[in-house]
Amino acid sequence: MERKECVFLDRSNHSQPNTTSPSTARPVLFLLLGIGIGYLITKVLVWPIMDLKSHTNRTGASTSLDIDLTDEVRVLCYVYTKPINHKTQAQAVLETWGRRCNKLIFFSSRSDLNLTGSVELPVSPYFRESWLKTKMALKYLHDHHLNDADWFLEADDETYVVMENLRYMVYPYSPQLAIYFGSPGTVMSRAALRRLVELSLPNPSKCEQKNAGPTAEKLRECLENVNVLAGNTYDSEGRRRMYLIEPQARSNLFLHYDSNIWFWKFLAYRTQDGIFAWSNYAVSFHYVQHRYIHCFEYMIYRLRTFGRKQIVESLPPKYNPAAEKDQGAPRIGSDQDVPADYEY
Amino acid sequence: MYRNILCLVLGLIIGIQLTDFLEYFQLTDSQFASTSITQLEEGASQLATEEELALWLHNETRVLCMVLTLPKNHQSRVRRVKGTWGRRCNKLIFISSQEDRELGVIDVGVPEDRNNLYLKMRKALEYVYRNHGEDYDWFLKADDDTFVIMENLRFLLYPYDPEAALYFGHRFRTTFPQGYMSGGAGYVMSRDALRRLNLFAFNNSQFCPINNNSEDRQIGFCLQNVGVVAGDSRDEEGRDRFLPLSLKFMLPTFPTDNWLPKLTFYEPVNETGSTSGISFHYVKIHEFEMYEYLLYRLHIFGTPLSQRTLPPRLGPDELQNQLNQWAQENSTNSNAWLKQE
């Protein structure tokens, strides 16, 4: 009996340390090693990726709020320029807002391989705009690009346009309706362009034939004489959306800003009380020097103020010309040979 | 054998989950505080929006703005600053040589002269420390031709403790190793930096001598000598947030035909324009309202912005490591030095 008991005790004492001590030490070390590796993996891989995502500028149509009218409201932008401005002003337009046009054309006195979309017109190289150049440009657009766009935006190379806001402004109107907005810096529908080129330009009684003189008044007269509607360029609060000018931006070394001089008063009058009367959905700014064009591009599209207020936007209802006609009073003395809503 | 592998995998899972949990806790810590504010104001709200975070951040990271000006600019530039970006400071003080209570301009008793800018700045810092030194977290110096986007400034400053001796701006290199921050682009120093400056630098003619040298360089010298670290304010793409020149000269590429590429501390990034830019210099009088309009009023139709969150606050160890790293940093600019330096 005693011998058996001694043998049993000896076996248990001998076997326990051999089997238990290796298994308790190594797994704990591996556990800690695993925790460390997991920590490093998370730190190095996961969180930096998440950080980068939070700085993206645009969600890329992943939310219902994202409204992209680029294909629904096609805009052809034609920009008046001159050879001396190709490398500065025109290039700035090409690199910034011009990219958001469905089609971009530069009208100049010579074409330029470095200026994509430049078209040569036989006009003077010293004037960016002239009535002759405007008429030639309009005929060119009618002959070559009438079906390429719904709307045709006139601009010069000192203009900055927020294309999304332009599409938003003209969205309610059909391109089959003869209507234009703003002049200068005119944006007209395809129907307006057809009517202008086919009915107005060739007719001396409706459109000025002489090539000299300022463009804006002449173009407006030509459009109105064939019953092209003048659209409203003010927003719902009566603030201006187009032809926004900061008068002091025109000052330079030779022309200092002075609020008492008539020239600055004239510019201030045209801006209607300055920036505070500008719309929150501004469309076009004028007299923007090429360096400022890049500033506008940066501050509008790239620079983000943390905590900028978000606005829930929606598209306005489509304009119904029949309802408008019923509600509105008939215009006295209007030319009735071409109805305003004539569809081609 | 199998037990070891099992423990390794288990440790891996625990490590990942633990780190994830800690990071999440840091984020929700700030969001929780913001949400509690939101619940008081708007009722139940699950997640704080970026706008709500910014509102909360306005009082969480309190910035006092010192704007250096002179009497002839009181009715033009001071009014513009006060009506635009100055409104978003927690406290706005104009430093001049003539007092104007209506505009918040104080007289520090230093006559206007180009050589007196440094002395004027010292007086301003002494005034601010005596009167507001413990009431705010950060102290921003700007000129009256600087435009500052205060929301983006707070976004930059939030991760850092104002009790760390630290300051930010556009970093220039010079004869002393840390360099200095451009005065025109504006620089912002922590509460502890301001304290060290006033307690240990201004009364020490060796650490902080009085002379006619340029204000920003001398202040940088004083800050270095009392252990204030120059922080890196660039964004994650390495683009400058504080711009020492006019915006139209900093876009679309870094200028190469003037003194700036020779003087800047970090290697210039060719394509400029940070998405979270903070300041511009040489702002013309009419540009204040133009920038205010473009940044805060103008909307691009149909372009909603993705919601961002705040970067995580740095813990004490992380902050110390970051400060050590910045303190050891050398200029990465490979351009030739300015000859006068």
Side-chain angles (χ1 to χ4, degrees):
Chain A
M1 291 296 290
E2 288 183 354
R3 286 183 180 177
K4 288 182 179 179
E5 288 178 357
C6 287
V7 168
F8 179 76
L9 285 173
D10 287 341
R11 286 179 181 175
S12 64
N13 288 335
H14 184 70
S15 63
Q16 275 183 358
N18 290 337
T19 56
T20 56
S21 59
S23 61
T24 54
R26 294 180 188 176
V28 172
L29 292 177
F30 275 91
L31 186 72
L32 294 177
L33 183 64
I35 291 174
I37 294 173
Y39 175 84
L40 287 177
I41 287 173
T42 312
K43 271 291 181 182
V44 173
L45 294 180
V46 178
W47 283 103
I49 292 170
M50 294 182 67
D51 283 341
L52 286 176
K53 286 180 180 176
S54 68
H55 288 288
T56 55
N57 282 326
R58 185 158 183 162
T59 53
S62 63
T63 65
S64 60
L65 293 178
D66 202 325
I67 304 169
D68 190 357
L69 297 173
T70 306
D71 297 319
E72 186 171 350
V73 183
R74 298 175 304 158
V75 182
L76 183 148
C77 307
Y78 60 106
V79 179
Y80 299 124
T81 184
K82 52 184 177 176
I84 199 173
N85 282 5
H86 284 185
K87 290 185 178 177
T88 52
Q89 297 289 149
Q91 188 68 28
V93 169
L94 184 66
E95 292 171 2
T96 56
W97 64 270
R99 294 177 299 173
R100 292 175 206 106
C101 305
N102 293 90
K103 195 167 183 63
L104 176 66
I105 294 177
F106 291 96
F107 286 116
S108 184
S109 65
R110 64 173 176 81
S111 61
D112 192 332
L113 288 178
N114 295 318
L115 192 65
T116 309
S118 61
V119 169
E120 179 179 342
L121 295 177
V123 292
S124 167
Y126 304 114
F127 298 102
R128 182 174 54 207
E129 300 168 70
S130 68
W131 181 228
L132 171 64
K133 191 172 182 178
T134 300
K135 289 192 288 182
M136 285 189 164
L138 291 167
K139 284 169 183 165
Y140 179 91
L141 292 172
H142 178 270
D143 295 342
H144 294 87
H145 297 287
L146 189 64
N147 294 313
D148 289 346
D150 303 318
W151 297 85
F152 297 82
L153 169 70
E154 174 199 63
D156 58 43
D157 55 18
E158 274 188 345
T159 304
Y160 188 91
V161 180
V162 184
M163 291 301 300
E164 290 88 345
N165 292 351
L166 171 64
R167 292 185 170 98
Y168 173 57
M169 180 178 75
V170 301
Y171 170 81
Y173 305 94
S174 166
Q176 308 305 330
L177 176 67
I179 189 169
Y180 78 98
F181 295 83
S183 184
T186 313
V187 54
M188 64 182 83
S189 65
R190 184 168 58 241
L193 178 62
R194 283 193 69 178
R195 190 177 295 194
L196 175 66
V197 174
E198 293 176 4
L199 300 179
S200 187
L201 288 186
N203 191 334
S205 66
K206 297 189 185 300
C207 201
E208 175 69 56
Q209 299 295 303
K210 287 188 297 181
N211 294 334
T215 296
E217 291 295 329
K218 291 179 164 58
L219 182 59
R220 191 178 309 123
E221 279 183 30
C222 298
L223 288 163
E224 289 177 354
N225 285 341
V226 285
N227 288 333
V228 177
L229 292 172
N232 184 16
T233 58
Y234 295 85
D235 66 10
S236 59
E237 300 180 31
R239 292 182 296 192
R240 184 190 286 263
R241 286 195 280 197
M242 294 185 80
Y243 205 63
L244 304 176
I245 296 171
E246 165 53 59
Q248 296 185 55
R250 299 219 69 196
S251 62
N252 50 48
L253 285 178
F254 310 104
L255 198 60
H256 289 286
Y257 175 77
D258 188 339
S259 59
N260 295 318
I261 297 181
W262 68 267
F263 177 71
W264 302 112
K265 283 181 176 175
F266 173 69
L267 280 185
Y269 165 77
R270 300 192 76 177
T271 63
Q272 277 199 4
D273 304 323
I275 294 178
F276 304 103
W278 293 3
S279 169
N280 291 357
Y281 288 93
V283 171
S284 62
F285 304 86
H286 289 257
Y287 299 115
V288 186
Q289 195 250 2
H290 64 97
R291 292 185 181 273
Y292 275 107
I293 287 181
H294 288 289
C295 292
F296 275 52
E297 181 80 0
Y298 169 62
M299 296 187 100
I300 295 173
Y301 287 95
R302 186 166 172 77
L303 178 53
R304 281 191 61 186
T305 303
F306 185 72
R308 179 76 193 269
K309 186 185 289 289
Q310 288 274 53
I311 292 179
V312 178
E313 296 165 331
S314 61
L315 288 167
K318 289 282 192 176
Y319 169 77
N320 189 340
E324 183 76 13
K325 186 189 296 183
D326 292 340
Q327 292 170 9
R331 288 181 296 174
I332 300 173
S334 65
D335 197 335
Q336 294 295 333
D337 62 339
V338 185
D341 58 345
Y342 183 83
E343 291 191 355
Y344 287 84
Chain B
M1 182 62 178
Y2 293 109
R3 289 181 196 172
N4 295 340
I5 295 174
L6 187 66
C7 288
L8 183 65
V9 172
L10 191 65
L12 205 66
I13 294 169
I14 292 173
I16 293 173
Q17 291 297 321
L18 198 63
T19 313
D20 196 71
F21 177 76
L22 289 177
E23 293 287 345
Y24 178 76
F25 185 75
Q26 265 184 319
L27 292 177
T28 51
D29 190 20
S30 60
Q31 288 188 3
F32 175 77
S34 178
T35 305
S36 65
I37 295 171
T38 306
Q39 283 173 354
L40 291 176
E41 294 174 355
E42 304 177 11
S45 175
Q46 293 183 358
L47 276 179
T49 64
E50 186 179 309
E51 188 184 352
E52 288 158 355
L53 282 177
L55 285 173
W56 171 77
L57 193 57
H58 184 270
N59 293 311
E60 170 69 15
T61 305
R62 299 163 303 173
V63 183
L64 180 145
C65 303
M66 297 170 272
V67 180
L68 264 60
T69 184
L70 48 154
K72 72 175 183 179
N73 287 347
H74 286 186
Q75 298 304 320
S76 52
R77 292 186 173 277
V78 166
R79 286 191 176 277
R80 292 295 202 282
V81 169
K82 201 175 168 67
T84 55
W85 68 269
R87 291 183 297 166
R88 292 178 279 273
C89 303
N90 294 92
K91 176 75 175 177
L92 176 65
I93 298 176
F94 293 96
I95 311 294
S96 182
S97 58
Q98 276 180 25
E99 191 187 37
D100 189 328
R101 286 180 182 271
E102 182 206 351
L103 292 174
V105 183
I106 66 163
D107 175 11
V108 289
V110 178
E112 297 296 347
D113 188 270
R114 185 139 196 97
N115 293 326
N116 284 348
L117 261 184
Y118 169 51
L119 184 58
K120 184 176 179 181
M121 190 63 211
R122 284 176 62 125
K123 292 289 186 180
L125 290 164
E126 287 170 16
Y127 171 89
V128 164
Y129 180 69
R130 279 200 314 270
N131 293 273
H132 308 286
E134 300 298 325
D135 299 333
Y136 299 93
D137 300 316
W138 297 86
F139 300 84
L140 170 75
K141 180 267 170 179
D143 288 336
D144 57 11
D145 61 352
T146 311
F147 191 100
V148 183
I149 302 171
M150 293 300 300
E151 294 89 344
N152 289 355
L153 177 63
R154 291 188 176 92
F155 184 79
L156 166 74
L157 298 175
Y158 173 72
Y160 306 102
D161 187 352
E163 290 300 329
L166 179 59
Y167 81 126
F168 292 99
H170 185 92
R171 197 169 174 183
F172 286 154
R173 60 183 180 180
T174 183
T175 50
F176 46 93
Q178 177 161 284
Y180 63 101
M181 301 300 182
S182 161
Y187 49 84
V188 58
M189 61 181 76
S190 66
R191 183 167 55 231
D192 191 53
L194 181 67
R195 189 186 296 133
R196 290 183 182 217
L197 210 54
N198 279 273
L199 294 183
F200 306 120
F202 284 164
N203 52 16
N204 188 317
S205 59
Q206 183 184 350
F207 283 179
C208 197
I210 295 179
N211 51 37
N212 288 333
N213 288 343
S214 58
E215 159 254 328
D216 44 4
R217 187 170 180 276
Q218 274 307 121
I219 294 290
F221 184 66
C222 301
L223 287 164
Q224 176 191 264
N225 289 340
V226 288
V228 178
V229 174
D232 183 358
S233 63
R234 296 176 299 165
D235 69 8
E236 56 282 345
E237 294 168 329
R239 301 182 194 201
D240 295 307
R241 283 170 162 147
F242 292 81
L243 301 183
L245 289 183
S246 171
L247 187 63
K248 59 180 184 287
F249 287 107
M250 297 295 301
L251 293 171
T253 55
F254 202 92
T256 55
D257 53 358
N258 58 17
W259 50 268
L260 185 58
K262 298 184 177 67
L263 192 58
T264 192
F265 189 89
Y266 298 107
E267 179 72 17
V269 176
N270 187 48
E271 192 178 327
T272 53
S274 168
T275 56
S276 50
I278 289 172
S279 76
F280 323 116
H281 191 204
Y282 296 125
V283 179
K284 294 178 180 175
I285 294 175
H286 71 273
E287 286 173 353
F288 284 103
E289 281 149 358
M290 177 69 79
Y291 291 170
E292 185 81 3
Y293 171 79
L294 293 174
L295 288 171
Y296 295 96
R297 281 188 53 212
L298 180 61
H299 285 283
I300 310 167
F301 179 79
T303 313
L305 303 170
S306 60
Q307 294 294 283
R308 297 172 294 175
T309 185
L310 289 167
R313 263 207 209 271
L314 297 183
D317 292 340
E318 284 175 302
L319 181 55
Q320 194 58 48
N321 289 336
Q322 182 67 82
L323 291 177
N324 288 339
Q325 180 191 323
W326 282 337
Q328 304 301 321
E329 208 165 24
N330 289 319
S331 173
T332 56
N333 191 346
S334 56
N335 293 317
W337 282 70
L338 272 178
K339 291 181 178 177
Q340 68 189 28
E341 294 287 337

